[in-house]
Amino acid sequence: MANIMRTLTVNLGARSYPIHLGEALLPRAGDLIKQVGCGEKVGIVTNPKVAELYLATVEASLRRSGFHVATVVLPEGEAHKNLDSLATIYDRLIAERFDRSSCIMALGGGVIGDMAGFAAATFLRGIPYVQVPTTLLAQVDSSVGGKTGVNHREGKNLIGVFYQPRLVIIDVDALSTLPTRELVAGLAEVIKYGVIADPKLFGLLEERLDRVLALDRELLVEVIAASCAIKATVVEQDEREQDYRSVLNFGHTVGHALEALTGYTELLHGEAVAIGMVQAATISARQGLCDEKSLSRISGLIEKAGLPTKVPSNVGLKELVWGMEVDKKSIGGKIKFVLCRGIGATEFQRFSAAEIVAQLAA
Ligand SMILES: NC(=O)c1ccc[n+]([C@@H]2O[C@H](COP(=O)([O-])OP(=O)(O)OC[C@H]3O[C@@H](n4cnc5c(N)ncnc54)[C@H](O)[C@@H]3O)[C@@H](O)[C@H]2O)c1
Ligand SMILES: [Zn+2]
């Protein structure tokens, strides 16, 4: 049977790009990149874990297509999403005499994708780059939409730019080596897309969650395609998050606060967002926007996926207020909070952090 491949487009005028999604795409990376017209040099940015699993395949594919390949293997982990790692990338590109037609490939999860994208945006005032996401979170979220950047010791993603890739290549086969906990954390973002915009996707997850977790290829392609389509539509309407793009922050106001309050070590991003989504849906129900049945379907699916639903017992309500204020940098001010109207629609409301927590405690 032929391998599955689907192509979606992110429509942003001159900055439009395709997302190729399917099976066995890493061995075809060279061909696919050739189609978007990069110069002869490709700089792969990756980390040791991903390199061990997939680098040989991708390098061989690029060389078969006639590219000169330079690979930068950065240390593993969020702690290295910083300016030092960027310097390592720039040093190598300069040593390899990369020019404005050369291309960067991000091969890895969101950490690698954000850094490689930022390097591409800034090297020689911008060279093309290709996202090859290998975690579920990166495949449904960070590789699409052009947010790039690094962390500062004072906070996450404080340094960055919007810069769209030329191409996204999503190979679902890469998920076979992903630790289950990372897979499930990525699933939280997929559930989010269902809640904010796609009742059909939500229903599919309810019905076939076990097959998604068993990495049924056809189903993964369907679920990732639906997720990317929603992200693309939102980004097309509001590329630079002036307004509507913040709908993607459903579950993230409380989620970000929990990540920060637990020192970014206890909870994975998706796990924190899962808790945040249950809290946001609960507030939506209290506001009369979300019916009880939808609320219990949302928390039911999150729980069934193996994600947490409750604020950890070591996080007090006062701390939660503080965490949200710090995240939004709006002490005492109102936070633009995303509520759900049942499953498939949303509404923004402005609350102070204290009001959010008061509704949770009620
Ligand atoms: N740009 C955006 O729009 C956006 C959106 C959401 C998140 N992000 C960023 O993404 C980052 C989180 O991304 P993530 O969840 O992918 O984390 P990650 O990049 O740290 O990857 C998670 C872990 O999986 C490993 N890994 C990656 N692919 C693998 C594979 N196929 N098999 C086995 N192991 C593999 C990684 O080495 C790492 O240990 C954060 O820095 C966050 O700020 C960006
Ligand atoms: Zn997220």
Side-chain angles (χ1 to χ4, degrees):
M1 211 174 68
N3 289 322
I4 311 168
M5 177 166 130
R6 286 172 65 173
T7 301
L8 284 74
T9 306
V10 184
N11 292 300
L12 290 167
R15 293 182 308 290
S16 297
Y17 53 97
I19 303 171
H20 297 308
L21 162 62
E23 304 169 285
L25 294 187
L26 292 183
R28 294 180 53 196
D31 277 353
L32 296 170
I33 293 177
K34 202 140 212 188
Q35 289 168 18
V36 294
C38 284
E40 63 178 24
K41 291 180 182 167
V42 178
I44 304 175
V45 180
T46 189
N47 77 14
K49 266 192 210 171
V50 179
E52 195 189 330
L53 294 163
Y54 302 112
L55 183 60
T57 304
V58 173
E59 280 185 345
S61 167
L62 289 168
R63 292 202 175 107
R64 270 199 312 277
S65 298
F67 290 107
H68 167 88
V69 181
T71 299
V72 184
V73 181
L74 297 171
E76 149 80 30
E78 183 78 37
H80 293 280
K81 187 174 148 182
N82 60 26
L83 293 170
D84 291 341
S85 293
L86 277 177
T88 307
I89 303 175
Y90 298 136
D91 288 350
R92 187 68 193 282
L93 300 181
I94 291 165
E96 295 279 346
R97 300 186 185 286
F98 269 49
D99 61 31
R100 294 189 77 177
S101 72
S102 308
C103 173
I104 290 180
M105 177 199 283
L107 177 66
V111 167
I112 287 293
D114 282 11
M115 280 194 288
F118 188 81
T122 47
F123 185 70
L124 302 178
R125 300 192 179 83
I127 65 172
Y129 79 112
V130 176
Q131 288 280 12
V132 185
T134 61
T135 64
L136 182 59
L137 180 123
Q139 295 187 345
V140 299
D141 191 358
S142 59
S143 68
V144 174
K147 277 193 184 176
T148 75
V150 294
N151 302 328
H152 185 272
R153 62 181 176 280
E154 294 294 327
K156 278 193 69 176
N157 299 322
L158 288 182
I159 303 156
V161 287
F162 288 97
Y163 190 64
Q164 300 294 341
R166 282 291 169 89
L167 171 68
V168 183
I169 301 171
I170 302 177
D171 187 341
V172 294
D173 293 345
L175 300 178
S176 63
T177 54
L178 195 64
T180 305
R181 189 174 169 202
E182 294 285 351
L183 181 80
V184 168
L187 207 53
E189 301 283 358
V190 178
I191 295 172
K192 177 190 81 178
Y193 290 120
V195 176
I196 64 172
D198 193 342
K200 197 169 144 248
L201 171 62
F202 192 93
L204 183 68
L205 292 171
E206 284 181 314
E207 266 171 46
R208 308 204 55 199
L209 185 69
D210 52 337
R211 296 306 305 152
V212 175
L213 293 172
L215 302 179
D216 177 319
R217 301 282 195 273
E218 217 171 307
L219 196 56
L220 280 175
V221 168
E222 189 173 348
V223 158
I224 297 168
S227 302
C228 289
I230 295 165
K231 176 116 190 213
T233 305
V234 171
V235 169
E236 284 161 8
Q237 289 173 60
D238 179 20
E239 185 180 359
R240 300 176 70 91
E241 197 167 334
Q242 314 270 326
D243 181 29
Y244 180 61
R245 185 167 172 163
S246 46
V247 71
L248 298 172
N249 282 339
F250 178 69
H252 283 59
T253 305
V254 171
H256 283 152
L258 292 175
E259 280 184 279
L261 291 169
T262 54
Y264 295 100
T265 51
E266 226 169 277
L267 294 166
L268 294 178
H269 173 73
E271 294 168 344
V273 167
I275 299 168
M277 288 195 288
V278 174
Q279 309 310 315
T282 303
I283 295 177
S284 307
R286 302 235 154 103
Q287 293 284 318
L289 287 174
C290 178
D291 57 286
E292 289 296 328
K293 174 144 186 274
S294 299
L295 171 60
S296 78
R297 282 179 70 195
I298 293 167
S299 59
L301 180 58
I302 288 171
E303 201 172 335
K304 198 170 145 205
L307 287 159
T309 56
K310 293 191 169 63
V311 175
S313 54
N314 59 347
V315 173
L317 293 178
K318 264 195 194 140
E319 287 172 286
L320 200 55
V321 174
W322 180 83
M324 281 188 278
E325 288 184 331
V326 170
D327 178 52
K328 296 296 170 198
K329 295 159 201 77
S330 68
I331 310 296
K334 299 267 179 179
I335 295 168
K336 188 172 164 195
F337 196 79
V338 189
L339 298 163
C340 59
R341 303 180 71 95
I343 292 164
T346 55
E347 185 173 313
F348 291 118
Q349 280 189 24
R350 294 208 168 256
F351 295 124
S352 68
E355 283 166 344
I356 293 169
V357 170
Q359 293 191 66
L360 291 176

